[in-house]
Amino acid sequence: MRIQACTLLLLTLGLLPASALAVPVLVHQPPTEAEAGKPLPLSATITDAASPIVQVKLYYRPIGGLSYREEIMQGAGVSYSAQIPGSSVTEEGLEYYLEARNQAGERGTSPQLNPTTAPHRVLVRRATVGPTLELLLPEDGATLTAEEAMVVVRIDPGTSQTDLKSLKVIFDEADVTASVEKNPSLLTFVPPAGLTPGLHGLQVVVRNTEGQETKSKTWSFTISTPEAAAAWKAEKEAAAKLAAFRGNLRVELQDTSLGKKPQDTLYLVQPEGWLHRVNLNFSGGSEAWQFLGTGYLTSEEAPGRQPVNRFRLDVVNPALSVSLGDTYPIFTDFTLNNCFVRGGYLRWIMGDASQAHSELHLAGGWNRVPIEGREPDTAGTFERLATGFRWLSDVWSGIGFSLNADAVLDNAQSLKTPVSTLPENNIVGSAEGHIKINYLPSLSSLFYGEYGMGYYDQNMNFFTVSLGDAYRGGMRWEWNNRSAVEVEYKRTGSKFVSLGNPWLISDQQGVDSNARLYLFDDQLIILGELNVWQDNVDNQKTDTYYLEAANTTITAGTTNTVFVSGMAYYRLPPYLSTLSLGYSVNTQQDNSQPVPIIDNRTSVFTLGLGSQIPSGPNQLLANLTYSLSVFQDLAQTKLSGDLTTGSLQLSAIYAFGPWSLSAGYGLNRTYTDLSGYTAGLTAIQAAGATKQILDYSLYSLRGNWKAVPNTLDLGLSWENLAGKDDLTLVDDLLSTVALYGTYYIRSGHSLGLTLSSIGYGDKLQDANSYQELVANLQYNLNF
């Protein structure tokens, strides 16, 4: 939660590298349950991002699944939303996590710790719905002859049985139930002979054995001459070639009132005042063309960051796709790769994409990234023109090459400022090739390589031109479509380096190689990864430091990083659904003389256990996750302290009848040791200590009641987050009580209201304490 993240950031300010402080923090309230077959909407608020957010993704899978599916969450800046499709919401239950990445490459997740191995879990209940009536013959609104008139209606009783005694069929305002041939799933009615020409109507009413009643609309058809009926059929066939548009509209209004404004507004869970958010997604078209669109509008739009308001329209057919609006063109690692552009993107495929073919990609627009050193409201803050070109040719299936060229130009001359460290103009090009070899039906390998060059023009009261080059290559082996090993070698180098530069070619200097191994069977999953990275190729980063305490000059040289991780999952039938065990270690060490400046080691151990116990119509879902993370600065001269963090999370969800109850407990303990740390003064050292134990505990309870099945859901939740340490640097409490309800006006059409009372108490600095009331009204329409 936000308060935990803010407090921990303040306490560890002197312990962590600057990049760690830019990690996005996702504030997300996970649902406790979902209904089978219905889409599950999810939303998140992203805070504490020192760098603009580039992309937010939702990863989901069934409980015990081998791999995650992913969806890009819509929105930007602060609020994002997405939904898990109804086809993926099954009675197995769901696991999911959210991931946000910013322009600096930092990654934030929800859950914050080990999201892939300890994701959010959702219990999925069997849908309790009334009967569904479907008119099979004739088509509603059809025109036909008297001889063709026969009515056939299909009954889906839902989760119960059809009560045929309750059946009532009305035809032309007369009860004809006695003349209907019926069984629990099908009704057949032949109208009496001699039907007069004109409009006729029919309505069906039926209940299931649970008492849920369904009343159909009044279906109609027209009796006409054979000639008129044939003309009507031809017209309907032509219209059938057009596919109906489908989509989702979400409108949200929120008002937050404060009892007392805290001295430090970073502690606020929600900003004061009114907020509105509107999100629209739609798709549809014809047999040849498809149209996909998305739009997001919010009052949180601000000039000092990437645009929050987003829009995009895609027009697609098998050979051509065009995107207008906010796009993420995907070229290669060294060119325009997922760089946010507000403009247009075109992809033209010449030939069958599964065989030998060619592709042309064009992109152009504004690179909507805030310019370093510019005031938020300054004209030209976002005015960087981004263009890209890509030509790909597969000479044979799986064998081909591509050429790429991209440029980012400072169209507004906004980078001509002494405080800017960004190049005024970037021009990057690369060439790549790939060869796929199929050895056996179950074994294949892919070889690939890429070489790129870059040109950088920087104008900071003087003229500078820099060149850079990069190359990468690797191979990947796959067998049985489930196991793979990949090895990649990467070298990037440039005389100009800037974290704000979107091009990978100038973001890193070094070599990078990694290997991944995945082994799957029906019950056991093993994941392994080895990554070795070395920066400062050709000693381009060599620098000299003077250590005053030791009266020693240190020359900083190449830094080597090795990362090794492993994770195993095992399915334990029948009730213990999953057991997971993982370990990872990351080491960094440089060859500085006479003593290393960097010598760090981080290790993480994780343990997870999940259980899903069905009991007739009831179900219990329980989960336990334990994680231990240890960071050690082993250098002779410490640049940071040592941190040991242990995290324990327990949760349980029980569903029975129209009720579901959930409870959760979490404990996070961080032990800080600043012994030997001399790089600066921290809050811990200011308290006259070098060691600290900081505990955060979280309790949560939630109850849901389907007050009127398929019409009204009600819920109540309580969360209590308390933090305290042994040095009296932290003593705070965040408590939230929420009452919420959802009224389903009809299928895919709902209105929701949430009232939340949030209280934060800082016992050490009462000026930061506050109380806020949040009212949130949501309208959802699936069409």
Side-chain angles (χ1 to χ4, degrees):
M1 298 181 67
R2 184 182 181 88
I3 181 63
Q4 180 183 20
C6 292
T7 307
L8 289 175
L9 286 176
L10 292 172
L11 288 174
T12 58
L13 187 60
L15 308 179
L16 299 177
S19 61
L21 300 178
V23 175
V25 176
L26 285 82
V27 180
H28 168 65
Q29 181 66 52
T32 57
E33 66 172 86
E35 191 168 341
K38 290 188 176 181
L40 178 61
L42 300 169
S43 61
T45 300
I46 301 178
T47 61
D48 299 327
S51 178
I53 298 299
V54 172
Q55 196 170 70
V56 183
K57 286 187 176 183
L58 158 68
Y59 295 87
Y60 63 92
R61 67 183 181 187
I63 291 178
L66 297 178
S67 60
Y68 287 95
R69 296 181 180 180
E70 64 180 66
E71 295 280 347
I72 295 178
M73 300 187 71
Q74 302 297 328
V78 177
S79 299
Y80 290 80
S81 62
Q83 67 178 14
I84 298 175
S87 58
S88 298
V89 183
T90 65
E91 293 183 39
E92 297 176 80
L94 283 172
E95 293 180 330
Y96 75 92
Y97 68 95
L98 311 179
E99 178 186 270
R101 292 183 181 272
N102 60 21
Q103 186 70 28
E106 300 290 346
R107 171 178 174 264
T109 62
S110 176
Q112 292 185 13
L113 294 176
N114 311 311
T116 58
T117 58
H120 296 299
R121 282 196 165 189
V122 180
L123 185 149
V124 177
R125 305 215 292 183
R126 185 178 61 177
T128 55
V129 296
T132 300
L133 298 170
E134 180 183 4
L135 180 65
L136 299 180
L137 286 176
E139 186 176 351
D140 186 27
T143 299
L144 63 159
T145 63
E147 292 76 15
E148 296 173 320
M150 183 175 72
V151 178
V152 180
V153 177
R154 181 167 60 193
I155 303 177
D156 181 353
T159 56
S160 183
Q161 301 295 321
T162 304
D163 180 8
L164 289 178
K165 294 181 180 179
S166 68
L167 178 68
K168 181 180 291 187
V169 180
I170 306 297
F171 181 69
D172 288 349
E173 300 184 357
D175 189 338
V176 296
T177 308
S179 302
V180 174
E181 294 185 13
K182 50 186 175 294
N183 62 52
S185 60
L186 203 66
L187 307 177
T188 304
F189 171 65
V190 178
L195 278 180
T196 59
L199 187 66
H200 298 267
L202 177 133
Q203 187 179 52
V204 179
V205 181
V206 69
R207 291 195 299 266
N208 62 15
T209 54
E210 294 180 351
Q212 294 173 308
E213 183 179 86
T214 298
K215 179 184 294 186
S216 75
K217 60 176 285 189
T218 300
W219 294 308
S220 63
F221 57 90
T222 301
I223 299 298
S224 183
T225 63
E227 294 76 12
W232 179 87
K233 288 181 180 180
E235 182 182 343
K236 292 293 289 183
E237 289 175 358
K241 294 182 179 180
L242 294 177
F245 275 82
R246 301 179 302 274
N248 171 264
L249 173 67
R250 178 186 177 95
V251 180
E252 185 176 352
L253 298 176
Q254 178 177 297
D255 180 51
T256 302
S257 58
L258 291 174
K260 184 188 76 172
K261 192 171 185 178
Q263 186 177 26
D264 190 343
T265 55
L266 285 176
Y267 288 81
L268 286 175
V269 175
Q270 296 289 345
E272 185 178 14
W274 280 96
L275 288 177
H276 71 257
R277 304 180 183 103
V278 180
N279 195 355
L280 172 66
N281 298 279
F282 65 88
S283 65
S286 65
E287 293 180 347
W289 294 91
Q290 286 291 315
F291 297 87
L292 301 94
T294 182
Y296 184 81
L297 179 67
T298 176
S299 59
E300 296 159 305
E301 175 81 10
R305 59 173 181 257
Q306 278 196 30
V308 179
N309 295 333
R310 294 286 178 92
F311 68 95
R312 177 168 170 166
L313 175 65
D314 293 278
V315 183
V316 181
N317 78 359
L320 183 68
S321 62
V322 180
S323 301
L324 297 175
D326 302 317
T327 66
Y328 293 90
I330 300 176
F331 284 11
T332 73
D333 271 8
F334 298 137
T335 54
L336 199 62
N337 188 29
N338 285 330
C339 179
F340 175 42
V341 174
R342 173 160 284 182
Y345 176 53
L346 176 144
R347 181 189 183 197
W348 180 26
I349 302 175
M350 289 149 276
D352 187 346
S354 63
Q355 304 296 326
H357 71 287
S358 299
E359 295 184 21
L360 173 65
H361 299 239
L362 297 174
W366 302 111
N367 180 212
R368 307 287 288 182
V369 178
I371 299 301
E372 186 177 342
R374 303 291 291 179
E375 293 296 326
D377 297 323
T378 303
T381 300
F382 295 102
E383 297 184 17
R384 301 180 72 191
L385 178 64
T387 61
F389 164 86
R390 172 175 169 86
W391 172 263
L392 180 146
S393 178
D394 260 16
V395 182
W396 294 282
S397 179
I399 301 176
F401 66 92
S402 72
L403 300 174
N404 309 270
D406 301 311
V408 172
L409 309 177
D410 179 26
N411 186 64
Q413 305 291 300
S414 58
L415 291 175
K416 291 184 177 180
T417 165
V419 299
S420 175
T421 61
L422 290 173
E424 184 175 353
N425 299 310
N426 294 352
I427 300 176
V428 181
S430 75
E432 61 174 324
H434 56 273
I435 301 175
K436 185 174 183 180
I437 303 175
N438 296 312
Y439 301 104
L440 298 169
S442 60
L443 176 63
S444 64
S445 65
L446 176 69
F447 300 83
Y448 57 89
E450 181 179 4
Y451 179 78
M453 294 190 66
Y455 165 89
Y456 314 99
D457 173 6
Q458 183 185 20
N459 193 327
M460 292 172 50
N461 300 327
F462 59 90
F463 184 74
T464 301
V465 175
S466 298
L467 295 174
D469 70 327
Y471 59 84
R472 73 183 185 110
M475 56 197 85
R476 177 183 176 88
W477 295 269
E478 295 184 354
W479 63 94
N480 295 327
N481 296 320
R482 294 197 301 182
S483 303
V485 175
E486 182 176 7
V487 178
E488 182 176 270
Y489 176 85
K490 183 186 298 181
R491 178 195 186 279
T492 58
S494 170
K495 295 180 180 179
F496 183 88
V497 178
S498 171
L499 292 176
N501 190 341
W503 313 122
L504 215 166
I505 191 173
S506 64
D507 285 349
Q508 300 181 22
Q509 300 179 39
V511 295
D512 190 359
S513 62
N514 62 72
R516 300 182 180 92
L517 174 66
Y518 308 97
L519 294 175
F520 301 138
D521 65 18
D522 292 337
Q523 286 186 285
L524 178 65
I525 308 171
I526 298 177
L527 307 164
E529 181 173 351
L530 169 65
N531 182 278
V532 179
W533 182 68
Q534 182 187 68
D535 74 357
N536 196 22
V537 173
D538 301 329
N539 293 321
Q540 294 174 7
K541 280 188 178 178
T542 299
D543 206 345
T544 300
Y545 299 90
Y546 178 70
L547 187 59
E548 185 176 0
N551 194 25
T552 303
T553 299
I554 297 177
T555 300
T558 301
T559 300
N560 299 306
T561 302
V562 178
F563 174 75
V564 180
S565 69
M567 178 64 68
Y569 302 83
Y570 188 66
R571 295 176 177 174
L572 300 169
Y575 298 129
L576 296 177
S577 55
T578 55
L579 172 65
S580 60
L581 185 67
Y583 182 76
S584 65
V585 61
N586 184 306
T587 64
Q588 278 190 316
Q589 189 175 38
D590 64 20
N591 60 357
S592 303
Q593 299 296 329
V595 295
I597 295 178
I598 298 175
D599 190 1
N600 300 331
R601 180 172 65 220
T602 304
S603 57
V604 179
F605 168 78
T606 60
L607 172 67
L609 183 65
S611 176
Q612 188 170 10
I613 305 175
S615 176
N618 304 332
Q619 195 172 43
L620 172 67
L621 181 67
N623 192 46
L624 177 148
T625 303
Y626 174 74
S627 175
L628 180 66
S629 175
V630 180
F631 171 82
Q632 295 174 288
D633 188 343
L634 305 175
Q636 180 176 333
T637 302
K638 291 191 173 185
L639 295 179
S640 60
D642 296 340
L643 291 175
T644 300
T645 301
S647 176
L648 175 67
Q649 297 176 342
L650 300 171
S651 64
I653 306 172
Y654 182 59
F656 55 100
W659 295 89
S660 67
L661 300 175
S662 67
Y665 169 75
L667 177 64
N668 183 286
R669 167 166 287 188
T670 300
Y671 173 73
T672 305
D673 187 351
L674 294 179
S675 301
Y677 171 57
T678 58
L681 186 65
T682 70
I684 302 174
Q685 291 173 323
T690 59
K691 298 179 181 180
Q692 180 201 36
I693 296 177
L694 174 62
D695 287 332
Y696 271 91
S697 59
L698 174 67
Y699 298 89
S700 65
L701 293 173
R702 181 181 294 190
N704 291 275
W705 176 38
K706 296 185 180 300
V708 182
N710 308 305
T711 303
L712 180 63
D713 290 352
L714 299 175
L716 178 67
S717 68
W718 169 78
E719 284 191 350
N720 194 76
L721 175 67
K724 194 170 185 178
D725 68 356
D726 60 343
L727 299 178
T728 320
L729 294 175
V730 176
D731 192 355
D732 49 35
L733 177 68
L734 179 66
S735 183
T736 304
V737 178
L739 176 65
Y740 50 91
T742 302
Y743 174 64
Y744 298 95
I745 303 171
R746 61 176 183 268
S747 179
H749 192 191
S750 66
L751 193 66
L753 175 65
T754 302
L755 299 176
S756 303
S757 176
I758 305 170
Y760 170 67
D762 188 341
K763 296 182 180 179
L764 303 179
Q765 190 173 356
D766 187 64
N768 282 332
S769 301
Y770 69 89
Q771 188 79 28
E772 64 179 353
L773 178 65
V774 181
N776 185 284
L777 181 65
Q778 298 177 2
Y779 170 75
N780 284 280
L781 172 62
N782 294 320
F783 56 88

